Amino acid sequence: MDLARSPIAPEPAADAGGRVTPMMEQYIEIKAANPDCLLFYRMGDFYELFFEDAEIASRALGIMLTKRGKHLGRDIPMCGVPIHRSDEYLHKLIAQGHRVAVCEQIEDPAEAKKRGAKSVVRRDVTRLVTSGTLTEDTLLDAARNNYLLALTRARVSSDGEQGRFGLAWIDISTGEFRIAECEAAALAAEIARLEPGEVIVSDALYSDPELASYFRSLPAVTPLTRDVFDGATAERRLADYFSVATTDAFGTLSRLELSAAAACITYVGRTQLGKRPPLSPPLQEAAGATLAIDQATRSNLELVRTLAGERRGSLLAAIDRTVTPAGSRLLTQRLSAPLTDVKAIAARLDCIEMFAADSGLRDEVRNRLKAAPDLARALSRIVVDRGGPRDLAAIRDGILAASALAARLDGRKDAPAEITGAIAALRRPDSAVAEGLAAALADELPAFKRDGGFLRAGYDAALDEARALRDESRRVVAGLQARYADETGIRMLKIRHNNVLGYFVEVTAQHGDKLISPPHNAAFIHRQTLAGQVRFTTAELGELEAKIANAADRALAIELETYTRFAATVTASAASIKAAAEALAVIDVSSALAQVAVERDYLRPEVDDTLAFVVEGGRHPVVEQALAQDGQPFVANDCDLSPAASETAGRIYLLTGPNMGGKSTFLRQNALIAVMAQIGSFVPARRAHIGIVDRLFSRVGAADDLARGRSTFMVEMVETAAILNQARERSLVILDEIGRGTATFDGLSIAWATIEHLHEANRCRALFATHFHELTALSAKLPRLFNATARVKEWAGDVVFLHEVAAGVADRSYGIQVAKLAGLPAPVIERAKIVLAKLEAEDRASPVRGFDDLPLFAAAPKPAAMPAADAALEALAEKLAALHPDEMSPREALEALYALKAQAKASSKT
């Protein structure tokens, strides 16, 4: 959805005399200031929406569309949602790509009445709710980060920054803040890794025709004006946010990184209306620090969710034994971005080894962690004034849990450096904060501070006194309700209270006429009629309200004042609380990965900077667990892609065998073992030696992309092209059934050339599964190509899959046997056998010849060189196409023009 093109503010509503009503005049003014949002306009116990906002919301939420007054002779559409269920409705609207401006009453209705009978209660927008700036637990997935991502692109300049992007991403619910740069070719992979809830870009970048289709494929992209991304003010804005004199303390940041980071904090400031979440200083991610995995590979390997979009069945679900939300989020982060630094990986493995070796320690730590709430998100809500008593309780329990865990882990001589650092962080929060909260907070806490009742009896004498008076009055109200019900004969009569009407008598619509008619109309004064209820007041109730109001208001004021004091204390300790929250997550992930390692018999891998890739007794972590639930064993297999003694590049496995023989499982399991090793996890194998993989590519399965005009085969070729153009010596490539989506000879030719390119040009470690048995002949010419097959046995005309991978070549694919297992009708199977026999007989009679005469990829004739003049012209055209005039200043445009002229002049001389 294009979020920049939301409903336009409606024209003013008018009263019978054509004048704009005060309430609608206020609504129009606020709506005009927020034209790109649906406006939640607070009226009593409801958020109301009007005009086009109401029509959109009623469709999106499935709620009734009503009307309120007229405008230019036409009814004003209106719908509303109750305050106590607003989070539920916000979640639905945000999920559908809408932005919401929450407009609250910022003064007491009684104060408005003092200005005149027709005065309107002051209202203003207190928050802009967007998909990338959520903080409420009800709107967030506890196990996943919700990132706001800012993108900037380099303008063409003389320093070679053309085609680069700056990225900055923030999770305001946890305070995480990171920045990085990447090449244009890696942008999609980076966004796939982060899975941001919202992406913000400049208007010019959003309008770029080369990126338009990609931006439309993302769930929420918000174009913003150029000033948000202004590089000239970026450093100052970033320094001001963190109250530092210079950004040098954050590292040497490029112009792109500064611009993206400043855009992020500017947008956060605008949506939070000046409130500052407890963000960490921006952490710069070095290029190449993580294993590069593109979107297709993430989907094919089902790292964090399956192809169906479910968590169950993914690698994450198979290894996640974390017991805290923060731990689950950290594990997801690690799985999305495996490391490439051997020392950092070893440090993580050391932590797992400590917990795996001591079951008593592991069990006790995990039990203590279960008592730790989500500290980071509770802290964020408190700091931005969106928290409640339960968030204070989370801070209390989190600090106490951190202290107890530090005491249990302290003093271990075998503790790795990462655990030692975590212990120090666990001790940082001031225990006095937790003790103060423990003394003040009641055992049962309301969801909102406005409800009161969250301070325990005996904590504040003045509060106890006010509560006593209030509670006595409430008993009087209950008695008055019973008397009114008895006098009127309306058993469902209730006395209720809200901030607009105060106390009122409420009956259902069917009983409303009874109170309006004699004799009850003498005592009951009509106040309000709703769709299903009618509300009244009485003189007696008004007098009682005045007495109650004073006591109740005083009690609530004392509690709110106490809450504010505690919130300020927590905010002042934000840095230490955040550090403890991060330490709890690290310990949770380490102990959880140790737990799954012990459960599933995983072993520590050897990870180094070589090109080794040796897996002995490797198992697929997801499939193994699925089979175990049915009581079936998983057949382990070996894989060795390491360079031979005389070679400097890794091997390529050419895997043949029948459908259902386990080829795809074998391919995937080795890729997953590499990923697990590089996140610093034990792996499902008897032994694993993994030389660092810098890029992981997977082309497995069949899928189309009709929305972008791509057939199944086209998608296959696009993904294969990306692999062949980007894979390097340290990459790991997995290719399954390349060329099967087209004619046999076409597909065989493409697969043949692809293997040669992988061997001669990419020189990477690779697994290549195929049904083109002719390809096995390549092993005689390509020294690093190794033939392997998925073994089967035939028994009584049927095929038995052994799921064993061994050296060798398959003689056929057993497709008809698999079709029989799938349940194809017997006549179809018999006819297929006849056709197959005839085709095989013809093939034996006139076999395809000439493969032995084909030159290798490296020796194949090269295409004729492009004439120098044409090459120069093409280079000039490419440079011209890379210019983005809308993003250039006049000076930059002039410099670019001179550069083009100089290049053209130089080309003409040659």
Side-chain angles (χ1 to χ4, degrees):
M1 171 180 178
D2 185 348
L3 296 178
R5 290 147 180 81
S6 292
I8 303 301
E11 296 178 20
D15 59 21
R19 297 184 301 272
V20 177
T21 62
M23 187 278 292
M24 193 53 65
E25 183 179 15
Q26 182 189 64
Y27 170 83
I28 294 303
E29 181 181 352
I30 297 172
K31 176 62 185 176
N34 300 276
D36 59 343
C37 299
L38 299 177
L39 183 62
F40 268 32
Y41 184 78
R42 176 75 177 268
M43 295 183 69
D45 293 334
F46 282 78
Y47 286 122
E48 305 288 3
L49 299 96
F50 299 99
F51 294 93
E52 189 179 356
D53 282 9
E55 294 172 349
I56 292 172
S58 68
R59 289 193 299 269
L61 301 175
I63 58 178
M64 183 179 294
L65 185 66
T66 60
K67 57 186 178 181
R68 180 189 179 98
K70 291 183 178 293
H71 169 55
L72 300 178
R74 301 177 63 183
D75 293 332
I76 301 175
M78 168 184 166
C79 69
V81 300
I83 297 293
H84 68 277
R85 293 185 59 193
S86 60
D87 280 357
E88 173 189 342
Y89 291 109
L90 277 173
H91 186 275
K92 292 181 179 179
L93 290 172
I94 295 302
Q96 295 181 48
H98 298 287
R99 295 153 54 89
V100 179
V102 179
C103 177
E104 296 285 2
Q105 296 174 179
I106 58 175
E107 74 170 343
D108 190 286
E111 293 298 318
K113 291 179 181 178
K114 293 178 182 179
R115 297 197 302 273
K118 294 187 177 181
S119 296
V120 179
V121 176
R122 289 195 179 97
R123 296 177 176 86
D124 203 353
V125 171
T126 58
R127 178 190 176 197
L128 299 179
V129 186
T130 73
S131 55
T133 58
L134 305 175
T135 57
E136 291 83 352
D137 278 341
T138 53
L139 304 180
L140 292 167
D141 182 346
R144 290 180 56 200
N145 285 99
N146 184 56
Y147 290 124
L148 168 70
L149 171 66
L151 291 180
T152 57
R153 182 174 59 188
R155 298 168 178 169
V156 178
S157 63
S158 58
D159 57 8
E161 283 193 342
Q162 178 177 331
R164 293 188 65 80
F165 283 83
L167 299 85
W169 58 98
I170 288 175
D171 184 345
I172 71 167
S173 70
T174 64
E176 183 181 343
F177 189 2
R178 293 175 183 266
I179 53 178
E181 268 195 46
C182 74
E183 300 288 344
L187 179 63
E190 287 296 309
I191 294 178
R193 166 170 77 97
L194 298 172
E195 291 188 305
E198 183 178 8
V199 181
I200 57 174
V201 297
S202 66
D203 287 327
L205 188 58
Y206 184 75
S207 303
D208 189 320
E210 295 180 2
L211 295 170
S213 62
Y214 175 65
F215 283 151
R216 283 197 300 270
S217 71
L218 298 176
V221 179
T222 305
L224 301 172
T225 54
R226 184 175 178 177
D227 63 294
V228 177
F229 298 86
D230 184 16
T233 62
E235 184 172 5
R236 176 182 55 78
R237 283 183 285 154
L238 191 60
D240 288 349
Y241 188 93
F242 290 99
S243 301
V244 295
T246 175
T247 60
D248 291 346
F250 307 147
T252 305
L253 308 184
S254 69
R255 291 184 302 144
L256 285 174
E257 290 168 332
L258 282 171
S259 179
C264 256
I265 60 172
T266 299
Y267 188 68
V268 167
R270 290 184 180 182
T271 57
Q272 307 306 302
L273 299 182
K275 297 184 177 71
R276 294 191 172 188
L279 300 180
S280 301
L283 180 63
Q284 188 178 34
E285 284 196 359
T290 60
L291 171 59
I293 310 175
D294 61 26
Q295 176 62 62
T297 301
R298 290 180 188 276
S299 299
N300 290 334
L301 296 181
E302 300 179 312
L303 297 181
V304 298
R305 66 178 56 83
T306 65
L307 291 171
E310 298 178 354
R311 188 178 189 273
R312 182 180 179 183
S314 67
L315 176 60
L316 175 62
I319 67 173
D320 189 359
R321 301 293 187 276
T322 57
V323 293
T324 68
S328 187
R329 290 194 298 270
L330 180 59
L331 180 59
T332 303
Q333 286 180 27
R334 290 187 177 184
L335 200 52
S336 297
L339 300 177
T340 56
D341 184 276
V342 172
K343 291 183 179 179
I345 293 170
R348 292 180 180 179
L349 291 171
D350 289 343
C351 298
I352 297 172
E353 189 162 25
M354 183 190 83
F355 285 115
D358 191 336
S359 61
L361 173 67
R362 184 176 69 250
D363 292 343
E364 186 176 348
V365 164
R366 286 170 59 77
N367 285 331
R368 290 182 182 275
L369 283 168
K370 291 176 183 177
D374 201 337
L375 261 180
R377 285 187 167 171
L379 173 65
S380 182
R381 285 190 292 272
I382 290 171
V383 171
V384 298
D385 196 22
R386 209 166 293 139
R390 294 177 186 176
D391 291 313
L392 289 180
I395 298 296
R396 174 199 64 197
D397 297 342
I399 293 176
L400 294 175
S403 178
L405 195 58
R408 177 63 182 86
L409 291 171
D410 204 7
R412 287 191 65 96
K413 295 181 180 180
D414 63 338
E418 192 167 288
I419 298 297
T420 302
I423 294 171
L426 293 175
R427 293 190 178 282
R428 284 186 59 186
D430 187 354
S431 60
V433 175
E435 292 167 1
L437 290 170
L441 296 177
D443 296 332
E444 297 293 330
L445 297 172
F448 306 103
K449 59 180 182 283
R450 65 171 181 259
D451 296 331
F454 55 85
L455 294 180
R456 68 173 67 250
Y459 177 72
D460 187 301
L463 174 60
D464 292 343
E465 180 182 348
R467 280 176 173 173
L469 177 59
R470 178 200 64 192
D471 294 342
E472 178 64 28
S473 300
R474 286 180 175 175
R475 283 191 287 273
V476 173
V477 169
L480 186 61
Q481 175 179 297
R483 178 159 63 84
Y484 284 167
D486 184 60
E487 290 176 353
T488 61
I490 303 173
R491 297 181 60 186
M492 298 302 293
L493 180 148
K494 302 291 183 183
I495 294 181
R496 302 189 185 278
H497 180 273
N498 67 31
N499 293 332
V500 177
L501 299 181
Y503 281 93
F504 53 86
V505 176
E506 183 175 271
V507 297
T508 59
Q510 63 181 352
H511 293 116
D513 291 342
K514 187 174 183 180
L515 296 187
I516 294 174
S517 305
H520 299 302
N521 63 340
F524 292 90
I525 305 167
H526 178 259
R527 293 292 305 275
Q528 190 178 42
T529 299
L530 303 178
Q533 295 86 28
V534 184
R535 294 171 174 176
F536 299 85
T537 189
T538 68
E540 183 180 12
L541 184 59
E543 293 173 1
L544 181 59
E545 179 179 4
K547 296 178 182 178
I548 295 173
N550 291 334
D553 289 348
R554 185 171 173 232
L556 182 59
I558 292 172
E559 291 201 78
L560 293 178
E561 182 181 349
T562 304
Y563 175 90
T564 301
R565 187 172 70 252
F566 277 125
T569 302
V570 168
T571 300
S573 304
S576 61
I577 294 173
K578 276 188 62 182
E582 293 168 0
L584 287 169
V586 167
I587 294 172
D588 188 16
V589 169
S590 298
S591 59
L593 290 176
Q595 180 69 23
V596 73
V598 172
E599 287 177 7
R600 309 305 312 176
D601 193 26
Y602 294 174
L603 294 182
R604 176 170 180 157
E606 178 185 354
V607 183
D608 57 28
D609 284 322
T610 68
L611 292 177
F613 194 99
V614 180
V615 176
E616 296 179 4
R619 313 185 304 276
H620 193 297
V622 181
V623 176
E624 181 187 32
Q625 292 186 30
L627 291 175
Q629 292 177 355
D630 297 330
Q632 300 179 40
F634 184 93
V635 179
N637 282 292
D638 300 343
C639 179
D640 186 356
L641 303 179
S642 304
S646 59
E647 297 289 345
T648 58
R651 282 183 177 181
I652 300 174
Y653 261 40
L654 182 62
L655 186 60
T656 54
N659 293 297
M660 298 292 294
K663 299 194 304 297
S664 294
T665 299
F666 179 75
L667 266 60
R668 285 185 171 100
Q669 79 184 33
N670 285 289
L672 295 180
I673 286 172
V675 169
M676 291 177 67
Q678 291 189 210
I679 70 169
S681 168
F682 284 22
V683 299
R686 289 194 311 272
R687 173 177 173 260
H689 179 191
I690 307 297
I692 287 294
V693 177
D694 65 350
R695 299 185 180 194
L696 178 60
F697 298 98
S698 173
R699 165 84 276 271
V700 180
D704 55 34
D705 188 359
L706 299 181
R708 299 173 70 180
R710 293 176 177 176
S711 66
T712 301
F713 182 66
M714 184 63 176
V715 170
E716 176 186 326
M717 290 297 97
V718 168
E719 293 178 1
T720 304
I723 293 171
L724 297 180
N725 287 325
Q726 298 180 55
R728 304 182 297 202
E729 190 177 65
R730 279 203 171 275
S731 302
L732 176 62
V733 172
I734 296 172
L735 291 169
D736 191 12
E737 307 296 354
I738 293 299
R740 297 299 291 182
T742 186
T744 301
F745 284 169
D746 283 0
L748 174 59
S749 302
I750 292 170
W752 184 291
T754 297
I755 292 176
E756 290 184 337
H757 194 281
L758 289 171
H759 189 279
E760 300 298 319
N762 301 115
R763 297 177 60 78
C764 58
R765 294 163 286 183
L767 293 163
F768 193 109
T770 185
H771 284 290
F772 292 130
H773 300 142
E774 297 88 345
L775 296 175
T776 58
L778 279 169
S779 63
K781 296 185 176 182
L782 304 178
R784 292 185 292 103
L785 187 67
F786 178 80
N787 286 329
T789 183
R791 296 181 57 212
V792 298
K793 281 189 179 296
E794 290 188 79
W795 179 259
D798 291 327
V799 62
V800 179
F801 303 112
L802 301 179
H803 302 296
E804 295 176 0
V805 175
V809 177
D811 57 349
R812 51 189 172 134
S813 293
Y814 299 92
I816 293 178
Q817 286 86 342
V818 174
K820 181 179 178 181
L821 290 174
L824 262 67
V828 174
I829 296 297
E830 293 306 316
R831 178 58 178 163
K833 289 180 179 179
I834 295 171
V835 173
L836 177 62
K838 180 175 177 60
L839 291 174
E840 288 180 339
E842 292 178 354
D843 184 62
R844 284 191 294 270
S846 57
V848 177
R849 300 184 181 277
F851 284 123
D852 291 340
D853 299 329
L854 280 174
L856 292 180
F857 179 88
K862 302 293 190 296
M866 183 183 295
D870 291 347
L873 186 61
E874 183 172 335
L876 192 64
E878 288 178 358
K879 191 164 186 179
L880 183 61
L883 295 176
H884 302 281
D886 291 338
E887 300 179 18
M888 302 171 70
S889 67
R891 182 180 180 85
E892 290 169 335
L894 189 60
E895 290 175 351
L897 182 60
Y898 278 121
L900 289 170
K901 183 176 180 180
Q903 183 174 338
K905 185 175 182 180
S907 300
S908 65
K909 291 180 180 180
T910 59

